[in-house]
Amino acid sequence: MIQTDFIQQLFEDDGSGKKESCANLLPEVRELPPVFRELVSIAPEKFRMATFIASAAPLATLATRLRFYYPFDQGPQACLLQTIICSEQSGGKSFARHVENIIMARQKARDNEQRRQEQAYRELRQTAGKNERLPEPPKTAIVCCPVSISIAQLIKRADAPVRLYGTPLTLWTFTEELATATETNKRAFSNIKSIMRTAYDLGSEYGVDYLSENTYSATVDILYNTMFCTTPSALDEYMDRKAVEGGNVTRTIVYDLDSQLGDDAPVFRRLTPRKEQIIDRTIQRMMADTYSDDGGIQPEKYIDMAWLETDVRAWCAAKNLEAVKSGSTALGVFFKRSSVSAFRIAALCQYLYGLEGATSVRRKVRQIYLAMAEQILYGMMQKWGRRFEDLQAKRLEQASNTRLPLFDQLPQEFSRDMLRETIKRLELTTQDWVFLSKWNAKGLIEKISKNTFRKI
């Protein structure tokens, strides 16, 4: 395990200072985009960042037709976000239910009407005579899925809009108690975690092909947004070793509410009629950008995010340099998808500003990207950084039985701390400066900075 001051600070920080600095990077509440602004403004100060994060995933679900380009990817991106709100029992995470209910109310009403059509057809089929000719089953496209959904039903829900409209729509799942869901549906959840790795990216298909005629088989591009509320112990069980090593954690935005010991119960103010009107109008416009009046689907809506590329590359370069200096494998892996998720939230906010007719919003969107990138990375490092480092160290320790040379076990760019740690792990007695001197003399490395080197 790398034990530099930098990594120790990330792993052992109590959360207050770093979280406060991330929240301060956001624009002022009155400058946030609609819906975010109204919901964050009624939250107590300690819950404002949590409310912003909890609002992002359901709003991204409604913006299912939004497309944009990320600087490091060739294909278009969609607003796909997987969030987790974590706290101890009675720690205040139930606020997320209120946020989700407000944002998804219109979509849920539409889904319920479609479910009633499905139920009516099932009842008709059950009561029909043996030789009675039935009408065609209703063509439905339901977005909101219960957390207890089976794999076959999830595939069917994802495939339905493709068959109906010729394009996928983003599915949505919310649960207040992740532990209850995983306990009652443990086998299905194991498979859903695999699906969620591909569901994070537009165009990544997942397929099942069952032999039974009583289930559903298809290969489909599943777009899946989620928000789970959970306790730390339930989250540790859900994000097991396979999830940490397989990449589920890097696709997840986790926000820990920390201990509420000694704090008064959080008091959220009620929405004023004016705020309710703004939220309702914004969501109505978002729905209109998805469903057309003739019962079809709207075309994809591309927005220009190229202007943010310089900031994205600068932030990623800075975090990459920190990873090299500190020798943190977790930081080197986590910052990349932190930037992706933050960029998606920034694109969502630019879209929402546009719905309201706001102009000159680039400064605000830039602030949102930087705040989210820092917050998402911090959340990952706090929750899974040490665990990821331990698993990587064990893997390398097992691989070291093949006795690869010390030089070959170092990355292309490495720091003196990384070299010392590798020497210690391989139980070598030669000091680090001896290796550096000999490698430099033989032209194997070049010096980048005082304690950073690159292989030639």
Side-chain angles (χ1 to χ4, degrees):
M1 174 65 63
I2 306 296
Q3 296 294 331
T4 65
D5 293 340
F6 175 75
I7 296 303
Q8 286 296 99
Q9 182 181 0
L10 281 173
F11 287 150
E12 297 178 0
D13 184 270
D14 65 4
S16 58
K18 182 66 176 180
K19 283 187 178 180
E20 184 179 352
S21 65
C22 292
N24 289 338
L25 287 174
L26 283 172
E28 294 183 22
V29 175
R30 60 185 176 81
E31 293 186 315
L32 293 174
V35 186
F36 280 109
R37 180 181 59 230
E38 282 66 42
L39 293 174
V40 172
S41 67
I42 65 171
E45 187 172 354
K46 188 174 181 179
F47 279 75
R48 286 185 174 177
M49 177 61 86
T51 302
F52 186 95
I53 290 174
S55 303
L59 283 170
T61 304
L62 298 182
T64 182
R65 305 302 289 156
L66 191 63
R67 300 290 183 267
F68 45 88
Y69 286 92
Y70 181 66
F72 296 105
D73 288 332
Q74 291 182 322
Q77 294 261 327
C79 279
L80 300 174
L81 302 170
Q82 299 167 12
T83 58
I84 291 177
I85 305 297
C86 180
S87 77
E88 297 290 351
Q89 298 179 38
S90 303
K93 58 184 178 292
S94 60
F95 82 94
R97 178 187 67 239
H98 183 63
V99 170
E100 193 266 351
N101 282 339
I102 291 173
I103 295 174
M104 298 301 293
R106 279 183 173 270
Q107 184 65 58
K108 287 179 180 178
R110 187 181 189 279
D111 286 355
N112 288 338
E113 177 58 35
Q114 305 239 315
R115 281 195 172 92
R116 280 191 286 270
Q117 294 179 31
E118 292 181 346
Q119 181 61 28
Y121 185 80
R122 282 194 293 269
E123 293 172 355
L124 177 63
R125 190 172 57 185
Q126 291 170 359
T127 58
K130 197 170 186 180
N131 298 322
E132 185 176 348
R133 186 170 182 175
L134 295 175
E136 289 291 321
K139 295 180 180 180
T140 57
I142 292 173
V143 166
C144 299
C145 304
V147 72
S148 57
I149 191 170
S150 67
I151 295 297
Q153 183 70 344
L154 182 63
I155 298 292
K156 184 177 181 180
R157 291 296 186 212
D159 193 37
V162 177
R163 298 179 65 179
L164 184 58
Y165 305 125
T167 185
L169 296 178
T170 306
L171 303 181
W172 170 249
T173 292
F174 169 75
T175 180
E176 286 188 78
E177 293 295 341
L178 180 61
T180 303
T182 54
E183 288 168 4
T184 58
N185 201 26
K186 184 169 289 188
R187 182 176 178 182
F189 243 86
S190 177
N191 293 328
I192 286 175
K193 281 192 289 187
S194 299
I195 289 176
M196 289 175 73
R197 286 197 288 269
T198 60
Y200 181 79
D201 294 305
L202 181 68
S204 296
E205 293 184 334
Y206 185 91
V208 291
D209 193 2
Y210 296 115
L211 181 61
S212 171
E213 295 182 358
N214 296 323
T215 188
Y216 196 88
S217 299
T219 298
V220 66
D221 181 12
I222 300 180
L223 311 182
Y224 198 20
N225 284 1
T226 59
M227 181 161 62
F228 301 150
C229 298
T230 182
T231 60
S233 58
L235 180 55
D236 289 340
E237 184 177 352
Y238 174 65
M239 289 296 188
D240 54 16
R241 175 173 178 167
K242 290 182 179 179
V244 174
E245 292 184 319
N248 287 84
V249 296
T250 63
R251 294 168 170 86
T252 302
I253 302 171
V254 60
Y255 190 89
D256 196 329
L257 291 170
D258 295 326
S259 174
Q260 307 292 314
L261 182 64
D263 292 351
D264 294 332
V267 178
F268 287 76
R269 297 190 302 275
R270 293 183 179 180
L271 288 167
T272 65
R274 171 65 176 163
K275 293 181 187 297
E276 289 178 344
Q277 183 182 23
I278 293 172
I279 291 173
D280 188 64
R281 182 174 65 239
T282 304
I283 290 176
Q284 188 175 3
R285 289 171 178 173
M286 296 180 78
M287 296 284 286
D289 277 348
T290 300
Y291 304 103
S292 60
D293 294 336
D294 60 0
I297 207 79
Q298 298 284 16
E300 293 175 337
K301 185 180 183 67
Y302 280 82
I303 60 171
D304 179 22
M305 296 295 295
W307 62 270
L308 193 55
E309 180 173 343
T310 301
D311 299 278
V312 173
R313 290 187 179 277
W315 186 86
C316 289
K319 296 305 171 184
N320 191 41
L321 184 59
E322 287 182 10
V324 171
K325 287 180 177 179
S326 65
S328 170
T329 306
L331 180 60
V333 172
F334 290 176
F335 85 83
K336 297 172 185 176
R337 285 211 176 100
S338 298
S339 176
V340 173
S341 295
F343 190 86
R344 292 176 180 180
I345 294 174
L348 171 65
C349 289
Q350 180 166 314
Y351 165 67
L352 290 173
Y353 281 126
L355 289 182
E356 199 173 44
T359 57
S360 303
V361 299
R362 290 188 176 183
R363 174 188 60 82
K364 302 171 190 176
V365 174
R366 182 182 292 110
Q367 286 181 251
I368 290 169
Y369 165 76
L370 293 173
M372 287 296 98
E374 292 286 348
Q375 177 62 62
I376 295 168
L377 177 59
Y378 172 74
M380 286 186 194
M381 292 296 292
Q382 280 284 293
K383 192 62 186 175
W384 298 299
R386 186 180 295 279
R387 194 173 174 192
F388 187 90
E389 297 281 3
D390 289 342
L391 290 172
Q392 291 297 309
K394 289 179 182 178
R395 183 179 62 80
L396 290 173
E397 184 178 354
Q398 294 171 354
S400 68
N401 294 331
T402 60
R403 283 299 170 186
L404 289 174
L406 169 64
F407 185 81
D408 291 342
Q409 294 200 30
L410 293 169
Q412 188 66 26
E413 293 184 4
F414 63 93
S415 64
R416 188 181 289 268
D417 283 339
M418 295 174 70
L419 175 59
R420 288 171 179 166
E421 185 68 20
T422 308
I423 290 172
K424 181 180 178 181
R425 177 167 49 79
L426 295 177
E427 299 179 353
L428 302 176
T429 57
T430 306
Q431 294 185 15
D432 59 290
W433 65 267
V434 176
F435 287 109
L436 292 172
S437 176
K438 290 182 179 295
W439 291 343
N440 184 60
K442 292 182 179 293
L444 295 176
I445 62 172
E446 61 180 351
K447 196 170 187 178
I448 301 176
S449 63
K450 182 178 179 181
N451 291 308
T452 311
F453 308 88
R454 180 187 294 116
K455 294 180 182 180
I456 301 177

